[in-house]
Structures are given as structure tokens and as C-alpha cells.
Amino acid sequence: MTSISPHKQTMALCGPFLLSSCPAHRLKFNPFLLTKHSPLPSSTLSLCRPSLTSISPWQFNRPRPRFFAASVAAPENGVFPSSELAKSFDFSAEERIYNWWESQGYFKPSVHRGSEPFVLSMPPPNVTGYLHMGHAIFVTLEDIMVRYHRMKGRPTLWIPGTDHAGIATQLVVEKMLQSEGMKRTEMGRDDFINRVWEWKEKHGARITNQIKRLGASCDWTREHFTLDEQLSRAVIEAFIKLHDKGLIYQGSYLVNWSPNLQTAVSDLEVEYSEEPGTLYHINYRVAGGSDFLTIATTRPETLFGDVAIAVNPDDDRYSKYIGKMAIVPMTYGRHVPIISDKYVDKDFGTGVLKISPGHDHNDYILARKLGLPILNVMNKDGTLNDVAGLYCGLDRFEVRKQLWADLEETGLAVKKEPHTLRVPRSQRGGEIIEPLVSKQWFVNMESLAEKALHAVHKGEITIMPERFEKIYNHWLSNIKDWCISRQLWWGHRIPVWYIEGRSGEEDYIVARNEVEALEKAREKYGEGVEIYQDPDVLDTWFSSALWPFSTLGWPNESSEDFKRFYPTTMLETGHDILFFWVARMVMMGIELTGKVPFSNIYLHGLIRDAQGRKMSKTLGNVIDPLDTIKEYGTDALRFTLALGTAGQDLNLSMERLTANKAFTNKLWNAGKFVLQNLPSQTDASAWEAILAHKFDAEESLLRLPLPERWVVSELHVLTDTVTASYDKYFFGDVGREVYDFFWSDFADWYIEASKARLYQSGGNSTASLAQAVLLYVFENILKLLHPFMPFVTEELWQALPNRKEALIISSWPQTSLPRHANSIRQFENFQALTRAIRNARAEYSVEPAKRISAWIVANKDVVQYISNEKEVLALLSRLDTENVHFATSPPGEANKCVHLVASEGLEAYLPLADMVDISAEVDRLSKRLAKMQTEYEGLVARLGSPKFVEKAPEDVVRGVREKAAEAEEKIHLTKKRLELLRSSALVSQ
């Protein structure tokens, strides 16, 4: 992410002629040395309102403008009580503003707008969850999309909701019951489910309310929960339809098993960690002889499930054993074949592999390929079963220790050595996951994946960033069948009923409810049949995969929401769940509705700490969004998160947040300046003059003075650029572009230039023009920034006069408005001239309050447009307006001036006598030169010493050379300046 300094521009908003009263001046901060990108101290960030004591002498005989302390009528909605803005934006106002938006119905899609709707489904957070930065990033990005399209006039629907989170929620409630001295199994299923619902009613709104704190403008009247009636009906219907098509089947296969939770878990719920472990070397006797094959394994307890010993066919060490039998240790002589397969890595361990397909995913694949049997040695609680003989009933890790001791006793243990393991742990409980063969329900994914691949290939779905399309294609091209059953009580119960007394593979009924199941069973088996429901529930991801269309009313495809809003426009989520959720939604949507569920997929990256590490409680680097909001404000957090690049991880630092908090404050102070310099709303004639100014036509733009013509042109260019970036979802570009324009163009340049209009004598026409431009540019900045920073922009908007509607539903700024490229170039010359004069003042240590003379030299055209803005130039460069001269050739006394080249064809001559006491400056520089000469000679002497050059470290010698070169350059510049000063003094004499 590109870092943006909050202090990047030339002047603080208090203006150059106010620095004597600003904290920065007391800190000896000299503004005139700054270049365009010089940083400002944080103490100069506040925009100071001019006071009579700080206005320059040339203004004292000018009338104080009547609008100087004007008040603006506050909106009459009772929510934004006053236009008298506080010193800074109060973050506590965010909840007030949010509640007002929601109460006004602004989050609902407008039924009066006839354009194509923009529809977005929120990834449902777990009902057990607490707000974290992963939530903050997706809420920020999705809310930016929604607010932008709402302002563009599209009917906009953002559907919120929460996920029932089967494993997580059941664990939370079981822990609660344990604290009460109760167990789930002692209560019974129905009573336990009732307790979970009680917990949900009490705590389920927590994550929703926290998401609201981020400013999420969702339609909360359409909020869903994955176990609510509508979505539960959709889940059952989806299961039935997929089963009827032959896409759901039951079978015994290897799954990820959680012994503590006693359920299968999805790949997403397994986290792998690098942990220290042990590699055990064990001898297997080759049957019929005295030879041994030594295998290396990290899990010796699984040897009871060995069904073969494998070697690489190209490994000459073991080729003679291929086709023979080996005896598995500690199994009372059980024989297994010695086979060959190129899957075996000759260089790992001993090059001999034990095949335990019941407890290893890779072994399972190999066994299925070679037709080997599957042998399970483990119970579902992680203890070994009777296949393990004497070790039956012992925990898997206890068996590992005891078995190794027994192997050592029998002489079959060769050695053990440290080895780094990649350990699969349960995301929920932290326990080590066990690969285990279990009877489960699966979805056949092959045909579903083919359709999902085709949809992206045909362009029906666009993935952003594009590089993730390759990952999407690779995963779907190598997809495995999906295990959808979980051995839990909390969740969507599988709509399958079995027949009492029958155990055949086809002896079950799939139905919507028990009544329907019993009717079907009686039709098939007769009147006296009894049935019971499958105790398992569906994987939470199964219901989540239906989210984009089930929340819109499916399977009732005639519902108004489904007809109007499906397919949805966009899916935004983290790239880490592209496969587990996004791809499954695509497959389910196409299969069940006949349409892709969304046309665009936008993927964001992870939020990491400042050092690029993943946030975790173990590292202690977790940044809490709610704590961040309290300290920095929601707008600063959102702006920081949105400046990342799509699909890339973002390193979040306090420095970024501090900078963007300062940006919020800068925006607030700019708003205060605009408000304080508008006329009273009761001054009808003043407002008539302001509103008479229009900026949407070429002729009206060309009639404006240069600074106004420049800033309006830049605004129109910005609006087009930013709108295009919004449309492309380049949110980082949007943030940086608006930030740069507001900070450097509007705040640091136009606001300062406008003071020459606002505080000058004569008629009010120029002041009125400045007021109109300030208001026009500022209100458009608020609109462009609103999707990023909704709270502070709405508060400022409501403080502006004549607000007839909320900013959240205001119209987006018009694009393709006129701009004058030549005026932009002209004002850039004006800026270059101002910077050159400021830097010269700083170089010669001119007192900030001192006004100096200047000759501005250029061709006639340049002189014309620069001289027209003489008062602005004098204000920004602190020149004496009575002694600013414009000419096409250098002044006669050019040799007594500091000569500045601002840009090609634009120069300035600043009389030295006007800036410094020449005699005193000659004395000061002469002493400084003598000191520099002494230091330089010392450096040269060191470099001239062979002893130093040959014996000192290379980097030390290099450093001395660099210092000498730098000293030589300073001496040269100081001599030139002394020469100029002395020649100037001689000329004067």
C-alpha cells in the first residue's frame, strides 16, 4: 500500500501570514523552506481562523468582511443541532448519525429508482464472533461500494446476516453448561438445542451491533440468520434437489476428524502449524528371511493400520524385496505386501514407506489407486480399537510412547531423531485432527465444478484481481467430493429418515419433514413401518453456499426480492475463502437457480500487523477495531483499510491510523474555515450572489480568475478520475487521489489563495466568488469522500447551508464537466514561483513577518496572468504589494538580487538588502566558512594518511570521503553567497 504523509504539502492551513500566531512558529518552524512534498509538524495541522492581530499591516485600512463571523442556520432535523462546529470531530457523534440514517430508511433500496440495482450479500459472520480486523476490512470495502452506487442513483441493497456457526456455537454453549455442572449428553438433544437458542437470543446481536459501529449501511430489515425459517427451508430444498439429481450420496471415506468434538470438520477448520516432533525409525522383518526394512514415521501408533510397505521402483537398494511380504511389528506376525510406486520419495527418511490408508490422506489416495484395503485402528474419541491388540482403549499419544518403549525392548526400534512436523489442528479446539474413515454424506462435485469453471471462462463472472482466476480454475479442476455431514446437534439436521429394522444402503427416505418422510416410508414399506431421523447436521458451509439466493427468497423464485434482485451484482470477501465459500456459492447457484449467483467477485487480502505478521493472540499483536475506533475514529480506520490494493495483504500500523486521524481533523478544520467565511443565511442578497455562480459551463469557467479557474478545473478532472476508479473498484487509487487533491490543492493552496479575496477592500464580488468556489469544491470533496469516511462527511454536510437532503442519498458529482488545461499549467507556474520565493526566504533566514520586494520576470503572457494575481502572490510569499514589479527583462540592479528560476521562462529577483543586513550576513557567513574550512581540511588530512586509508574499515573510509565531498560542496555554496553579498555591498557603496 502506498503510504501518504498527512503533512505532505507546503503550508499549514493557518496560512503563511498567520504563522506568527501559530504553535509552529514558536517551535521555530520555517514554512518557506518547504518544497511541495515537505512534511509539516503535527502542531501545524489545525486550520487557524484569521484574527485581527495576525492580519498583515497592509490589511489594517481594509474593512473587516461582514461575513467573517457569520452563522449558518442548522438543519431542522433535530439530529445535527448546530452549525457551530466543535474544535474537532467528536467520534461519539458516529452512533447518533448512524441511528439517524437507519431511522430515515436510507439503507433500504429505493423503489423509485428505475436503474439496474446494485445488490451485495454480506459474508455472514459467526453468531459467536467478536469484531476483528477481518470484519472491518470487508465491511469497509462493501460499504464503500454500496454508498457509491446509492449516490449514483441505483437501487442499492446490501443484505446482512449472521451464520449459526455449528461447531463454534455448540462449543460455547457446552462450556457454559460445564460451568453449571452439566453435560450436553445428559440433557438430551431437544433441551440442549433450546439452551443454544436462548444463548443466541441473548448474545447473537453482539456482532451485528459491532458491525454497525463500522458504518455498515445494510438494509437491516432484511437481516437473516442461517437457521431462520426462510433459510432453513432453502437448505432442505437444496439437499432434496441435489439428492434427486444423484449429486448427494452416503459412503465411508477418509475425513478430517476431531476426537474432542466427535465430528468431521472441513478443510477450512483445520490449521497447520510447524511444530517440533520426532521421526521414529523402525525395523520391519522381511518374511521368509533375516533381512529387515527400516521405515521412518512420525506416527508409529498407526502401524497397526499398515496394509503395505512401499518403495520406489527405481531404488536399487530395495528392488529385490518388491513382491515379497513384510511382518508388521507388534501385530503377532501380520504380513503385508512390499510394493513399488513412484509416489515414494527415495530421499525421505530411509526411502521405505509404511502405507496406513485409514489414517493418512496421501496413503488413502495411494491405496484407492492400487486397490489396497483400508484398515481403521482408531475409535472416534482418539483411542485405539481392538485392531491394536494389547493397546486397545489407550489414547493415541499414550500408545505412541508405550509402543516405542516396547519396540526398543524387542530390538525393532532403530533410532528416533528430532523432526519438524506440519501438524493439523482444529481451528476451534486446537486439538490435533485425526484422518479417519467415517460414514458421511457427500456432494459429488465434478459436474458442479465444470459449470462453475465454464461461467468464469464465458465471462459470466469476473474475478478481481484477475490473478485469482488461475487459482479458482486450478482448485475446481482438482476438486474433491465435499463431506457435508457433521456429528453435531446445533445446525440444519440432515433431512434423511431411516427405516427401523433395515440396514441396507438404500433403506432411507429423503423428505422435507417427518410427516412427509413417514408417508413416503409407508408407500414403500407398508403401514406398520417406523422411522428415525439421521442424527447428523449439515456442514455450516452448506447453508452459507446458498446465502446469495436463499436470503432473497429462494426456493420461492416468484418472490419480489428474488425477481428484482437476483442474480446479485457483487460478492466481496477475503481471498482466503475463495474455495471454501465463494466457489461453492457459484456451484450451488448455477445448479439450483440456473444462474450465476453474482456477476463480480472482489477479493481482499488479510490484515497483518505493522511487521507483516498474521495477527494472533499468541503473538499479542491483535488490533481491536473497537478500541481503534475509540482512539482514531471510524473514518480514519476505514480510510486506512481502504487504501490497500485488491487481493493483497495490508500491514496495519498505528502510524497510518494517526496520519489518517490527522486527515479527518484537516477535513474538519477546512469545513470550519468554509463555514466561518460564509454569509449569514438571513443575508438574502449575499446568498443570491453566491448561488449565481455556476461552474458547469465552459464560458462560466473561463470567466473565473486563475486560482478559481485552476481549482475548479482540477476538481472536475478529479471527479472523472475518481469516478472511473470507483467503477473499476480501485479503491486505493480513489483514496489517494482525493486525499492529494484535498490536502495539497484545496487546503494548502486554494484556501490560502481565497483569503486574498475574503479579506480585501472594495466590493463584495470577489469575496462572493471565493465563497461560491469554496462551497462548490468543498461540498464535492465531501461527496467524493463520503463512501470512505461517512460520519465526518455527513456531519460537515449537515452543517453547510441549504442542505435539503442527507449526504448519504445525495447525487454523485456530475462527470465530464469543463476544465481548462492551460489554466492548470499556469497555476502550476504560479505555485513554482511561490515555492521558489519561500525557499529563498528560508535560505536567507528572513523573518516570517518581514515583507520583501520582488521583480517577477517573464514573457508578456506569463507576466499578465501572474500580475493579475499580485495580491494572492504577495499573501502566499509574504511580499510587499507596493514593491512587487512585473517585467519582461531583468531589473537594472539584478546583481544586487537573489536570482530565482521558478520554471522555464519564469524568474524572480529578490533584492538582497530587502531580505538581510548585508554586513551582518557577511560576518556570519565568513565565520561559518572558516569553521567549515577547518573541518574540511581535517577530513582531507585523514584521507591523505595511508595508515588511515589502509587500516580503517572500508565503510569508515567511505563515510569520511562522503563527509569531505559534502563539506566541499557547502564551502563552494557559501563562497558563492559571500561573493554575491560582497558584490552587492560594493555596488551599494
Side-chain angles (χ1 to χ4, degrees), residues 79-80 89-108 122 139 143 146-147 150 158-161 205 207-221 223 629 634-635 638 786 789-792 794-795 798 806 808:
V79 177
F80 302 88
F89 179 52
D90 183 1
F91 302 148
S92 67
E94 293 172 353
E95 290 188 72
R96 163 175 54 83
I97 297 169
Y98 187 90
N99 292 336
W100 179 68
W101 285 330
E102 189 175 6
S103 69
Q104 298 300 304
Y106 294 146
F107 300 163
K108 298 178 182 179
M122 175 187 288
V139 170
D143 197 47
V146 166
R147 288 178 185 270
R150 185 184 289 123
W158 187 11
I159 306 167
I207 186 66
T208 296
N209 292 330
Q210 291 173 344
I211 283 174
K212 288 182 178 182
R213 282 296 284 118
L214 290 166
S217 57
C218 313
D219 184 355
W220 294 105
T221 64
E223 182 181 7
I629 286 171
T634 303
D635 292 318
R638 288 171 56 118
H786 178 72
M789 309 174 78
F791 293 110
V792 67
E794 185 72 76
E795 188 87 331
Q798 293 295 336
I808 188 176

Side-chain angles (χ1 to χ4, degrees), residues 829-830 832-833 836-837 853-867 873 879 883-895 897-911:
N829 284 337
F830 183 92
L833 177 62
I837 296 172
S853 306
W855 285 83
I856 310 302
V857 178
N859 63 48
K860 186 181 294 184
D861 292 338
V862 176
V863 164
Q864 179 66 43
Y865 69 72
I866 297 289
S867 62
L873 180 65
L879 303 177
N883 287 295
V884 179
H885 310 283
F886 298 89
T888 56
S889 58
E893 297 184 332
N895 59 342
C897 299
V898 175
H899 178 211
L900 307 174
V901 178
S903 60
E904 188 176 351
L906 176 59
E907 303 173 22
Y909 292 84
L910 308 180

